[in-house]
Amino acid sequence: MKILIINCSPVRDGATAEIINIVKENVSAGNEVRSICIDDYEIALCKGCRACHNTARCFQNDDVTKLMEQYEWADKIVSVSPSYWADIPGQFKVFIDRCTPWCNTHEPYAKLSTGKKGYTIALRTGPSMPECERVISSIEHFHGHLEIESCGKLGLCSVENKQDVAARVEEIKEFCAQL
């Protein structure tokens, strides 16, 4: 299997990245694994022109197509996202907005290959689960429009920094067993 793990945070070495390292370590056996960070891609804001509704492509020349090539490569996509004000980080939201050409909300669209499976890990600094659930919901909604089947989710509360992840390793390993 080809597994793509995406850091939905602009922080390359924080708690989100630590979780990605644990996931990568636990799914690498027998799989081809890539991990990427949303902040490694230049993504322009959607202009709302709707031209992509007719052409299945955006007029802007940035890294969205490169990022979608990673999605196309993968059989399974693991999105790991912190909560920024009770939802996904802005950089990842901008990416989602720009993925309209690949979404099944209109015809034509630049469809991904079928059979892809999506998994989501959400983390937040506070103690209650609703923020994690909102992050998960946003990502699963995105996956649905890309026709990626949502197959697993994990919410991790009270995770503010890398050190907090150490106490959650077993939960993350159990999540990885689903993949």
Side-chain angles (χ1 to χ4, degrees), residues 71-75 110-116 146-148:
Y71 274 67
E72 180 58 39
W73 168 85
D75 300 308
K111 195 173 198 172
L112 291 173
S113 301
T114 61
K116 295 183 182 300
L146 293 176
E147 300 179 356
I148 296 170

Side-chain angles (χ1 to χ4, degrees), residues 111-140:
K111 195 173 198 172
L112 291 173
S113 301
T114 61
K116 295 183 182 300
K117 302 197 180 301
Y119 301 82
T120 306
I121 300 175
L123 59 142
R124 70 172 303 244
T125 59
S128 66
M129 191 57 71
E131 271 189 42
C132 285
E133 290 168 354
R134 184 168 175 171
V135 169
I136 291 165
S137 178
S138 290
I139 293 171
E140 288 184 341

Side-chain angles (χ1 to χ4, degrees), residues 6-19:
I6 181 165
N7 182 345
C8 301
S9 169
V11 181
R12 291 182 182 92
D13 63 353
T16 305
E18 187 67 19
I19 293 166

Side-chain angles (χ1 to χ4, degrees), residues 3-6 19-20 22-27 31 76-81 117-123 136 139-140 143 149-156 168-179:
I3 301 174
L4 174 66
I5 309 168
I6 181 165
I19 293 166
I20 288 168
I22 294 166
V23 171
K24 191 172 184 177
E25 179 181 313
N26 283 277
V27 301
N31 295 304
K76 297 180 178 182
I77 296 113
V78 182
S79 303
V80 185
S81 179
K117 302 197 180 301
Y119 301 82
T120 306
I121 300 175
L123 59 142
I136 291 165
I139 293 171
E140 288 184 341
H143 284 170
E149 178 186 1
S150 293
C151 294
K153 57 189 172 187
L154 174 65
L156 300 170
R168 311 307 284 277
V169 171
E170 290 307 313
E171 287 174 85
I172 298 166
K173 284 182 179 181
E174 287 177 27
F175 174 82
C176 292
Q178 298 177 54
L179 290 132

Side-chain angles (χ1 to χ4, degrees), residues 2 31-32 36 38 42 63 66 73 90 118 161 173:
K2 296 176 182 175
N31 295 304
E32 189 176 344
I36 59 174
I38 194 69
E42 293 294 324
D63 290 340
K66 289 179 189 173
W73 168 85
N161 54 50
K173 284 182 179 181

